[in-house]
Amino acid sequence: MPMETLHDLYVNELKDLYNAENQLLKALPRMAKKASAPELRAAFQEHLEVTRKQIERLDGVFTELGVSPKGKKCKAMEGLIEEGKEVLEEVGDPAVIDAALIACAQRVEHYEMAGYGCVRSFATLLGFADAAALLQETLNEEGAADKKLTELADSVINIDAEAADGEDSEEEDEPVAAAKNGSGGAAAKRKR
């Protein structure tokens, strides 16, 4: 599809997001299954349901445009999901794997937020007020999912992952403890 107008770009970007969401629909159950923390598993399952609603919204936008949502492969989401598959295949401490899953999921959320922000702006400029409102709703949900993942990481998952680092000797831990207490010099800073 040639991109001669903003409308062409708008449709192209919507198709990209539609494919991205459908790829994510297949990936989220695998991520939920791999997650060991119940809170993380629940967050992935909740976002799966939200993603289904987002696809329905996109279907409505395409219906209003009289355009098929199919015909574009989102290579960026494909790459992000491939990176996520690497984490799904990893063996290691469950808390560390959970932290890696959050990192993957947040990359996805940030990609989606950028995409939805663009198409919402395009819809506004093109006079598609209803579509702009629907796209803003999805953008808000993606932002909320990212915030939830950050809170989960900061309050539970990353703390558990850091605690899993029990392989350091006591000698190595001393500079880190000193650094956390505000002393310890350059050696402590290098350890961090």
Side-chain angles (χ1 to χ4, degrees), residues 21 25 29 45 47-57 59:
E21 294 290 12
L25 201 60
Q45 290 168 338
H47 199 62
L48 178 63
E49 295 309 312
V50 170
T51 300
R52 286 188 178 113
K53 291 176 186 167
Q54 292 170 344
I55 291 170
E56 288 175 16
R57 272 188 219 121
D59 280 328

mmCIF file of all heavy atoms in Angstrom, residues 21 25 29 45 47-57 59:
data_model
loop_
_atom_site.group_PDB
_atom_site.id
_atom_site.type_symbol
_atom_site.label_atom_id
_atom_site.label_comp_id
_atom_site.label_asym_id
_atom_site.label_seq_id
_atom_site.Cartn_x
_atom_site.Cartn_y
_atom_site.Cartn_z
ATOM 1 N N GLU A 21 -1.162 -6.748 18.118
ATOM 2 C CA GLU A 21 -2.055 -7.206 19.190
ATOM 3 C C GLU A 21 -2.385 -8.688 19.035
ATOM 4 O O GLU A 21 -2.447 -9.431 20.014
ATOM 5 C CB GLU A 21 -3.343 -6.382 19.218
ATOM 6 C CG GLU A 21 -3.172 -4.926 19.596
ATOM 7 C CD GLU A 21 -2.789 -4.672 21.050
ATOM 8 O OE1 GLU A 21 -2.431 -5.606 21.788
ATOM 9 O OE2 GLU A 21 -2.846 -3.499 21.448
ATOM 10 N N LEU A 25 -1.622 -11.651 21.619
ATOM 11 C CA LEU A 25 -2.693 -12.527 22.095
ATOM 12 C C LEU A 25 -2.208 -13.976 22.210
ATOM 13 O O LEU A 25 -2.615 -14.703 23.117
ATOM 14 C CB LEU A 25 -3.875 -12.432 21.129
ATOM 15 C CG LEU A 25 -5.246 -12.833 21.609
ATOM 16 C CD1 LEU A 25 -5.700 -11.995 22.786
ATOM 17 C CD2 LEU A 25 -6.246 -12.696 20.464
ATOM 18 N N PRO A 29 -0.461 -15.974 26.954
ATOM 19 C CA PRO A 29 -0.685 -17.200 27.732
ATOM 20 C C PRO A 29 0.611 -17.951 28.061
ATOM 21 O O PRO A 29 0.755 -18.501 29.159
ATOM 22 C CB PRO A 29 -1.588 -18.048 26.831
ATOM 23 C CG PRO A 29 -2.285 -17.049 25.969
ATOM 24 C CD PRO A 29 -1.267 -15.968 25.726
ATOM 25 N N GLN A 45 -2.503 -12.563 32.688
ATOM 26 C CA GLN A 45 -3.843 -13.058 32.344
ATOM 27 C C GLN A 45 -4.828 -11.899 32.206
ATOM 28 O O GLN A 45 -5.673 -11.900 31.303
ATOM 29 C CB GLN A 45 -4.313 -14.068 33.394
ATOM 30 C CG GLN A 45 -3.532 -15.365 33.322
ATOM 31 C CD GLN A 45 -3.751 -16.281 34.513
ATOM 32 O OE1 GLN A 45 -4.149 -15.842 35.597
ATOM 33 N NE2 GLN A 45 -3.472 -17.564 34.327
ATOM 34 N N HIS A 47 -4.024 -8.848 31.315
ATOM 35 C CA HIS A 47 -3.712 -8.105 30.090
ATOM 36 C C HIS A 47 -4.152 -8.877 28.850
ATOM 37 O O HIS A 47 -4.450 -8.270 27.818
ATOM 38 C CB HIS A 47 -2.230 -7.741 30.012
ATOM 39 C CG HIS A 47 -1.983 -6.634 29.046
ATOM 40 N ND1 HIS A 47 -2.510 -5.360 29.197
ATOM 41 C CD2 HIS A 47 -1.294 -6.601 27.886
ATOM 42 C CE1 HIS A 47 -2.154 -4.606 28.172
ATOM 43 N NE2 HIS A 47 -1.409 -5.339 27.363
ATOM 44 N N LEU A 48 -4.233 -10.183 28.954
ATOM 45 C CA LEU A 48 -4.761 -10.985 27.848
ATOM 46 C C LEU A 48 -6.203 -10.580 27.556
ATOM 47 O O LEU A 48 -6.586 -10.369 26.399
ATOM 48 C CB LEU A 48 -4.678 -12.476 28.195
ATOM 49 C CG LEU A 48 -5.235 -13.448 27.164
ATOM 50 C CD1 LEU A 48 -4.470 -13.368 25.855
ATOM 51 C CD2 LEU A 48 -5.196 -14.870 27.716
ATOM 52 N N GLU A 49 -7.001 -10.432 28.607
ATOM 53 C CA GLU A 49 -8.396 -10.012 28.430
ATOM 54 C C GLU A 49 -8.476 -8.587 27.896
ATOM 55 O O GLU A 49 -9.305 -8.283 27.031
ATOM 56 C CB GLU A 49 -9.172 -10.144 29.751
ATOM 57 C CG GLU A 49 -9.310 -11.573 30.231
ATOM 58 C CD GLU A 49 -9.849 -12.520 29.160
ATOM 59 O OE1 GLU A 49 -10.864 -12.181 28.516
ATOM 60 O OE2 GLU A 49 -9.245 -13.596 28.963
ATOM 61 N N VAL A 50 -7.616 -7.719 28.386
ATOM 62 C CA VAL A 50 -7.582 -6.337 27.904
ATOM 63 C C VAL A 50 -7.203 -6.312 26.424
ATOM 64 O O VAL A 50 -7.786 -5.560 25.634
ATOM 65 C CB VAL A 50 -6.593 -5.491 28.751
ATOM 66 C CG1 VAL A 50 -6.346 -4.125 28.127
ATOM 67 C CG2 VAL A 50 -7.113 -5.337 30.173
ATOM 68 N N THR A 51 -6.251 -7.152 26.039
ATOM 69 C CA THR A 51 -5.816 -7.216 24.634
ATOM 70 C C THR A 51 -6.958 -7.646 23.723
ATOM 71 O O THR A 51 -7.120 -7.105 22.618
ATOM 72 C CB THR A 51 -4.602 -8.173 24.501
ATOM 73 O OG1 THR A 51 -3.543 -7.670 25.321
ATOM 74 C CG2 THR A 51 -4.128 -8.281 23.061
ATOM 75 N N ARG A 52 -7.768 -8.583 24.180
ATOM 76 C CA ARG A 52 -8.934 -9.000 23.382
ATOM 77 C C ARG A 52 -9.871 -7.812 23.130
ATOM 78 O O ARG A 52 -10.380 -7.629 22.020
ATOM 79 C CB ARG A 52 -9.685 -10.126 24.087
ATOM 80 C CG ARG A 52 -8.980 -11.456 24.008
ATOM 81 C CD ARG A 52 -9.842 -12.592 24.557
ATOM 82 N NE ARG A 52 -9.136 -13.842 24.402
ATOM 83 C CZ ARG A 52 -8.675 -14.575 25.407
ATOM 84 N NH1 ARG A 52 -8.872 -14.211 26.658
ATOM 85 N NH2 ARG A 52 -8.030 -15.701 25.165
ATOM 86 N N LYS A 53 -10.091 -7.000 24.173
ATOM 87 C CA LYS A 53 -10.952 -5.819 24.023
ATOM 88 C C LYS A 53 -10.312 -4.788 23.088
ATOM 89 O O LYS A 53 -11.014 -4.121 22.326
ATOM 90 C CB LYS A 53 -11.233 -5.198 25.388
ATOM 91 C CG LYS A 53 -12.119 -6.065 26.261
ATOM 92 C CD LYS A 53 -12.300 -5.471 27.636
ATOM 93 C CE LYS A 53 -13.074 -6.435 28.524
ATOM 94 N NZ LYS A 53 -13.029 -6.081 29.925
ATOM 95 N N GLN A 54 -8.999 -4.671 23.151
ATOM 96 C CA GLN A 54 -8.307 -3.723 22.284
ATOM 97 C C GLN A 54 -8.438 -4.136 20.818
ATOM 98 O O GLN A 54 -8.606 -3.283 19.940
ATOM 99 C CB GLN A 54 -6.833 -3.619 22.692
ATOM 100 C CG GLN A 54 -6.666 -2.962 24.049
ATOM 101 C CD GLN A 54 -5.255 -3.055 24.601
ATOM 102 O OE1 GLN A 54 -4.426 -3.841 24.142
ATOM 103 N NE2 GLN A 54 -4.978 -2.253 25.618
ATOM 104 N N ILE A 55 -8.375 -5.430 20.567
ATOM 105 C CA ILE A 55 -8.561 -5.923 19.192
ATOM 106 C C ILE A 55 -9.984 -5.629 18.720
ATOM 107 O O ILE A 55 -10.185 -5.219 17.569
ATOM 108 C CB ILE A 55 -8.224 -7.425 19.100
ATOM 109 C CG1 ILE A 55 -6.716 -7.627 19.290
ATOM 110 C CG2 ILE A 55 -8.688 -8.015 17.771
ATOM 111 C CD1 ILE A 55 -6.282 -9.076 19.457
ATOM 112 N N GLU A 56 -10.961 -5.791 19.601
ATOM 113 C CA GLU A 56 -12.350 -5.462 19.247
ATOM 114 C C GLU A 56 -12.481 -3.987 18.894
ATOM 115 O O GLU A 56 -13.178 -3.623 17.941
ATOM 116 C CB GLU A 56 -13.296 -5.810 20.404
ATOM 117 C CG GLU A 56 -13.507 -7.290 20.616
ATOM 118 C CD GLU A 56 -14.356 -7.595 21.842
ATOM 119 O OE1 GLU A 56 -15.037 -6.671 22.369
ATOM 120 O OE2 GLU A 56 -14.338 -8.760 22.284
ATOM 121 N N ARG A 57 -11.799 -3.127 19.662
ATOM 122 C CA ARG A 57 -11.838 -1.693 19.362
ATOM 123 C C ARG A 57 -11.243 -1.420 17.986
ATOM 124 O O ARG A 57 -11.790 -0.629 17.212
ATOM 125 C CB ARG A 57 -11.043 -0.899 20.412
ATOM 126 C CG ARG A 57 -11.833 -0.504 21.586
ATOM 127 C CD ARG A 57 -11.023 0.438 22.483
ATOM 128 N NE ARG A 57 -11.334 0.047 23.836
ATOM 129 C CZ ARG A 57 -10.480 -0.366 24.749
ATOM 130 N NH1 ARG A 57 -9.197 -0.398 24.490
ATOM 131 N NH2 ARG A 57 -10.888 -0.713 25.934
ATOM 132 N N ASP A 59 -11.072 -3.481 15.515
ATOM 133 C CA ASP A 59 -12.045 -3.967 14.531
ATOM 134 C C ASP A 59 -13.083 -2.888 14.232
ATOM 135 O O ASP A 59 -13.454 -2.671 13.074
ATOM 136 C CB ASP A 59 -12.737 -5.245 15.016
ATOM 137 C CG ASP A 59 -11.894 -6.495 14.825
ATOM 138 O OD1 ASP A 59 -11.103 -6.556 13.859
ATOM 139 O OD2 ASP A 59 -12.038 -7.425 15.654
#
